[in-house]
Amino acid sequence: MLRAEIARLKAEIDLMQTEHSDEVRKLLEKIQDLQQELKESRLISEDAANEVMKIKKQAAAAEQQAESAVKAQSLLVDVEKRALSNEEMYKKLKEKHLALVKDHAGLLRKNADTRKQADSLQQSAGDFEGEKLRLISDLERLESQVEIEKSNLKDAEKRRKE
């Protein structure tokens, strides 16, 4: 009976070792998959950060243009005050003023659109960062599970030898 019990226990240990080996292999594959996903997320995050920087530069340029348009508008008001005596000059200056106002409005709209894009990209970068942190947490948890499985496998191996 004892020999039969020993044979049964040996078969059970062999089955457990096979199961543990399969589980460790699966966990290692999962770790590799998660590491690849993390690498891809990092690349996407870097691309998003580069795009955000590009949009910030565009926004700064648009703000400078808007400031230039505001200054030009201010100068135009001064010129209109001095040109009241000459009706023809006044009409020309008024036409220029309207063009500048339209340009200014266009620049303000463009600046608003650029800011929206920058905000959206910053949000995306934040989302990617959160996803990256989640993947790192998952990876750490899986690594911990692998260590536990290795320890269990060693214990089972030790019990089998004993």
Side-chain angles (χ1 to χ4, degrees):
M1 276 178 61
L2 288 174
R3 284 186 181 145
E5 180 67 15
I6 289 171
R8 186 187 67 75
L9 289 172
K10 283 183 179 180
E12 189 177 319
I13 288 172
D14 288 342
L15 178 62
M16 286 175 60
Q17 286 178 334
T18 302
E19 289 173 353
H20 283 290
S21 295
D22 289 345
E23 188 65 29
V24 167
R25 181 186 48 77
K26 288 176 185 176
L27 288 171
L28 289 173
E29 288 173 0
K30 180 70 174 177
I31 288 170
Q32 288 177 346
D33 290 344
L34 289 172
Q35 286 173 336
Q36 182 63 31
E37 287 178 24
L38 179 61
K39 185 178 180 180
E40 291 171 5
S41 292
R42 284 181 179 152
L43 290 174
I44 291 170
S45 178
E46 287 174 8
D47 289 344
N50 289 337
E51 188 65 25
V52 166
M53 288 301 296
K54 181 181 174 184
I55 289 175
K56 283 182 179 180
K57 287 179 184 177
Q58 289 174 350
E63 285 179 22
Q64 286 178 344
Q65 289 176 350
E67 288 173 10
S68 295
V70 168
K71 288 176 184 177
Q73 185 178 7
S74 176
L75 290 174
L76 182 61
V77 170
D78 291 340
V79 170
E80 286 177 342
K81 288 178 183 176
R82 288 182 287 159
L84 289 175
S85 63
N86 187 341
E87 186 64 30
E88 188 64 29
M89 182 62 90
Y90 175 77
K91 288 180 183 180
K92 289 180 183 179
L93 289 174
K94 187 174 180 180
E95 289 173 4
K96 286 183 182 180
H97 176 260
L98 291 174
L100 285 173
V101 169
K102 286 180 183 178
D103 288 344
H104 178 66
L107 289 172
L108 289 176
R109 283 191 293 275
K110 185 176 180 181
N111 187 22
D113 290 343
T114 303
R115 284 182 189 265
K116 285 179 186 176
Q117 289 176 345
D119 290 344
S120 174
L121 286 172
Q122 285 177 337
Q123 176 66 32
S124 295
D127 292 346
F128 284 125
E129 187 65 26
E131 181 67 15
K132 179 179 88 173
L133 292 174
R134 186 190 63 79
L135 289 172
I136 288 171
S137 173
D138 287 350
L139 179 60
E140 290 172 354
R141 183 180 50 79
L142 288 172
E143 287 174 343
S144 173
Q145 288 177 353
V146 167
E147 289 302 318
I148 291 169
E149 288 298 326
K150 283 182 181 178
S151 175
N152 289 343
L153 188 59
K154 285 180 183 177
D155 290 345
E157 182 70 25
K158 185 177 180 180
R159 279 186 266 138
R160 185 183 65 84
K161 286 181 180 178
E162 289 173 357

